[in-house]
Amino acid sequence: MLDRHDSAVRGLADACRLGDPTALRTALEADAIAVCDGGGAVPAALAPIHGATDVAALVADLLCGRPGTELTIEAVNGRAGLALRRGGQALAVIAVKSTGARVAVLWIVLNPAKLTGWHRR
Amino acid sequence: MTDSGVNVEPAGADDLEAAAAIFTSVRPRLFGIAYRMLSSATEAEDLVQDVWVRWQTTDRSVVVNPAAFLATTTTRLAINSLQSARSRRETYIGPWLPEPVDTSADPYLGAERGEALEFAALLLMEKLTPNERAAYVLREAFDYPYGQIADILQSTEPAVRQLVSRARKSVTSEKRTPVSTAAQRELLTTFITAARSGDLAALERLFAPDVASVSDGNGAAKVSRRPVVGVERVAKYLAAITWYWEGIEVRWADTNGQTSALLYRDGAVEAVLTVTTSADGIDKVLWMMNQAKISALS
C-alpha cells in the first residue's frame, strides 16, 4: 500500500506550499521526528527534533516559502520523498517514513556534498 | 580474486571491447551492491570505477564467471571501504545520514528487490559488521544463494546463514512499526465510514496486502468463524454486510493502548470492533461479538 505513504508525503508537500502551520502539524504524527544532516557545511540542527509542533516549525523554516525555491516529490531511496531546489540546484533532499497516512520521520539531507546527484539542469 | 596487478600481455582491442560489454551489463548491480554497503552514491561510484580498472588489468582468460567475479570484487572492496568510511564518520559534525539516491528510473537500484535501500534500513545496517552487512545485502536484495555468498566472503555456508539471520534480526526488528494511538483511531473511524457505506475502493485503500478479518465469539468454538483473508475478499465481505450497520451507534473505548469501537444496538453493546495496523495499513479487523447476536452476521 505504497499510496498511503505517497499521500502522506503529498499532504506534507501541499501543507508546505500553502505555508499553513496547522496543516503542516496535521500532516505529521504527534511524535514525529526530524533528523538534519548539514555535515557542518550548512546551518542545521545538531540534534533530532521531536514532536509535531517542533518538527512543523523546522519544516516551515527550512522548506516552505523560501523565495525562488521549488519543492517537488521525488523517488528517494525507493520511496516517495521530497527535494527542495533553487534554479535547479538541490538545497535539500528529504527521505520520509510514514505510519498510516502521516509522516513519522523526516531525514533532511542538507550537506551539499551529498546532494550532487540531485541538481537538475 | 586473481589480481596479480601485472598485465602479462597487452590485451587486443576486441578483447577489451568484450570486457567493457560485460562490465557495462553488470554495472547497475555492482553500483547497487556498493551503495547498499556504503550508503553513499559518490563512494559507490568511485568503487565501481576502481572495479572497472581492475577488470581491465585482470587476466580474464581464467575468469569462469565474469558477473560473479565482478560482484565478488565489488563486495570485498566495499567491505574494506566501509571500515575506513566508518572511522571517517566518527568526526562528522552533527547527525550523519546516508547520501540519498534518486530511484525514479530504477526503483530497486540494480537489485532483484527493494530491500536494504530505504533510509530506515540503511541506518539500521550501520549497526552491522561489514561482513554481516555484505551477507545481508547479497541475500536480501540480490537473492544470492548462501553458498555463493560464502565464496564471496571466503567463509562457510553455515557461517553465512548465521550472519544473515543476525543481520535480519537487527534490521527488521523495527520494520512493522505499529501506528500511534491517534493514527489508529483515525484509521478505525475511516474504516467504519467506508464499511457502513460499502465503499469498496475506500476499503481496499485502507488495507495492508495480508489483511484478515476475524470474528471471535468470545472464544466459543461454534461462533469463531473462518477468517476472511486478502484485500479484495475482506472488502467484498464488508460491502456485502452493509445492512448490519442499520441502527448501530458507535462509541469509542480505549483498551490496552488500542482504540476500539463499541457497536451499540438498542442501547446494548452488540460487538466490539478493532483494527490492528502496520505501516502498510490495516492488517487485521477483529470483531468480538456478543454471542447472542453472532448469528446475524453468519
Side-chain angles (χ1 to χ4, degrees), chain A residues 5-115:
Chain A
H5 174 80
D6 293 1
S7 65
V9 176
R10 244 197 322 274
L12 187 73
D14 291 346
C16 218
R17 291 183 192 119
L18 291 170
D20 178 354
T22 316
L24 269 181
R25 267 199 307 280
T26 44
L28 297 163
E29 281 288 335
D31 51 4
I33 298 171
V35 183
C36 297
D37 174 348
V42 292
L46 289 177
I49 312 286
H50 289 271
T53 307
D54 290 357
V55 173
L58 173 84
V59 169
D61 215 30
L62 211 55
L63 310 176
C64 312
R66 288 167 66 179
T69 61
E70 188 191 12
L71 186 71
T72 51
I73 294 175
E74 310 268 351
V76 181
N77 288 57
R79 301 302 302 271
L82 298 162
L84 182 75
R85 295 189 181 92
R86 182 184 284 129
Q89 289 286 299
L91 304 174
V93 171
I94 301 99
V96 180
K97 183 180 177 177
S98 61
T99 45
R102 290 176 190 219
V103 168
V105 185
L106 292 169
W107 291 286
I108 304 174
V109 180
L110 299 158
N111 183 350
K114 296 184 183 183
L115 300 176

Side-chain angles (χ1 to χ4, degrees), chain B residues 71-105:
Chain B
T72 301
T73 308
T74 303
T75 306
R76 290 186 192 166
L77 286 174
I79 287 171
N80 292 339
S81 300
L82 182 57
Q83 277 151 342
S84 56
R86 280 184 177 167
S87 60
R88 274 200 312 277
R89 282 172 207 165
E90 281 166 17
T91 57
Y92 197 83
I93 299 168
W96 174 91
L97 291 176
E99 179 187 345
V101 275
D102 182 346
T103 47
S104 51

Side-chain angles (χ1 to χ4, degrees), chain B residues 250-292:
Chain B
V250 180
R251 295 183 205 166
W252 303 101
D254 284 311
T255 46
N256 53 36
Q258 281 233 311
T259 302
S260 304
L262 304 179
L263 310 184
Y264 280 80
R265 194 187 299 276
D266 305 327
V269 178
E270 181 174 273
V272 179
L273 173 66
T274 189
V275 295
T276 63
T277 50
S278 70
D280 293 334
I282 293 175
D283 57 9
K284 195 168 277 176
V285 181
L286 184 62
W287 308 77
M288 282 155 291
M289 307 297 296
N290 177 324
Q291 290 188 48

Side-chain angles (χ1 to χ4, degrees), chain B residues 201-222:
Chain B
L203 285 165
E204 288 182 2
R205 271 200 303 277
L206 293 170
F207 293 149
D210 55 352
V211 63
S213 172
V214 184
S215 312
D216 170 56
N218 296 331
K222 62 172 186 274

Side-chain angles (χ1 to χ4, degrees), chain B residues 1-290:
Chain B
M1 261 162 47
T2 48
D3 183 12
S4 58
V6 184
N7 208 1
V8 187
E9 45 185 291
D14 282 1
D15 178 50
L16 256 186
E17 211 164 293
I22 289 166
F23 185 84
T24 306
S25 71
V26 295
R27 197 179 194 292
R29 162 174 292 238
L30 304 183
F31 181 77
I33 293 172
Y35 178 76
R36 283 170 168 86
M37 285 297 292
L38 303 171
S39 300
S40 164
T42 313
E43 286 169 29
E45 203 59 61
D46 290 349
L47 191 143
V48 170
Q49 201 50 41
D50 191 4
V51 174
W52 163 237
V53 171
R54 284 166 190 251
W55 179 233
Q56 284 171 290
T57 54
T58 294
D59 175 8
R60 291 180 298 274
S61 64
V62 300
V63 176
V64 182
N65 181 339
F69 173 88
L70 290 165
T72 301
T73 308
T74 303
T75 306
R76 290 186 192 166
L77 286 174
I79 287 171
N80 292 339
S81 300
L82 182 57
Q83 277 151 342
S84 56
R86 280 184 177 167
S87 60
R88 274 200 312 277
R89 282 172 207 165
E90 281 166 17
T91 57
Y92 197 83
I93 299 168
W96 174 91
L97 291 176
E99 179 187 345
V101 275
D102 182 346
T103 47
S104 51
D106 180 6
Y108 297 162
L109 202 73
E112 272 62 29
R113 288 197 290 267
E115 301 301 312
L117 179 58
E118 290 174 24
F119 256 54
L122 291 173
L123 287 163
L124 288 166
M125 286 197 295
E126 286 298 309
K127 295 189 298 202
L128 305 175
T129 66
N131 269 345
E132 278 175 348
R133 184 162 179 167
Y136 180 79
V137 163
L138 295 173
R139 180 70 202 169
E140 296 296 280
F142 295 89
D143 230 0
Y144 279 85
Y146 286 107
Q148 197 180 346
I149 300 173
D151 291 345
I152 292 173
L153 300 179
Q154 292 163 301
S155 175
T156 63
E157 201 172 317
V160 166
R161 282 179 188 276
Q162 272 274 294
L163 286 177
V164 173
S165 110
R166 268 211 307 274
R168 264 189 201 138
K169 277 198 189 78
S170 15
V171 176
T172 54
S173 59
E174 299 170 50
K175 256 245 161 103
R176 282 180 86 78
T177 29
V179 299
S180 70
T181 317
Q184 190 237 354
R185 177 159 174 172
E186 190 189 330
L187 211 52
L188 184 58
T189 312
T190 313
F191 167 75
I192 289 175
T193 309
R196 274 184 179 232
S197 61
D199 183 341
L200 273 176
L203 285 165
E204 288 182 2
R205 271 200 303 277
L206 293 170
F207 293 149
D210 55 352
V211 63
S213 172
V214 184
S215 312
D216 170 56
N218 296 331
K222 62 172 186 274
V223 291
S224 294
R225 296 170 45 249
R226 294 240 317 262
V228 183
V229 182
V231 173
E232 209 178 324
R233 283 207 197 89
V234 176
K236 282 203 172 119
Y237 161 71
L238 289 162
I241 58 163
T242 48
W243 50 264
Y244 170 80
W245 296 94
E246 288 295 319
I248 287 276
E249 185 208 342
V250 180
R251 295 183 205 166
W252 303 101
D254 284 311
T255 46
N256 53 36
Q258 281 233 311
T259 302
S260 304
L262 304 179
L263 310 184
Y264 280 80
R265 194 187 299 276
D266 305 327
V269 178
E270 181 174 273
V272 179
L273 173 66
T274 189
V275 295
T276 63
T277 50
S278 70
D280 293 334
I282 293 175
D283 57 9
K284 195 168 277 176
V285 181
L286 184 62
W287 308 77
M288 282 155 291
M289 307 297 296
N290 177 324

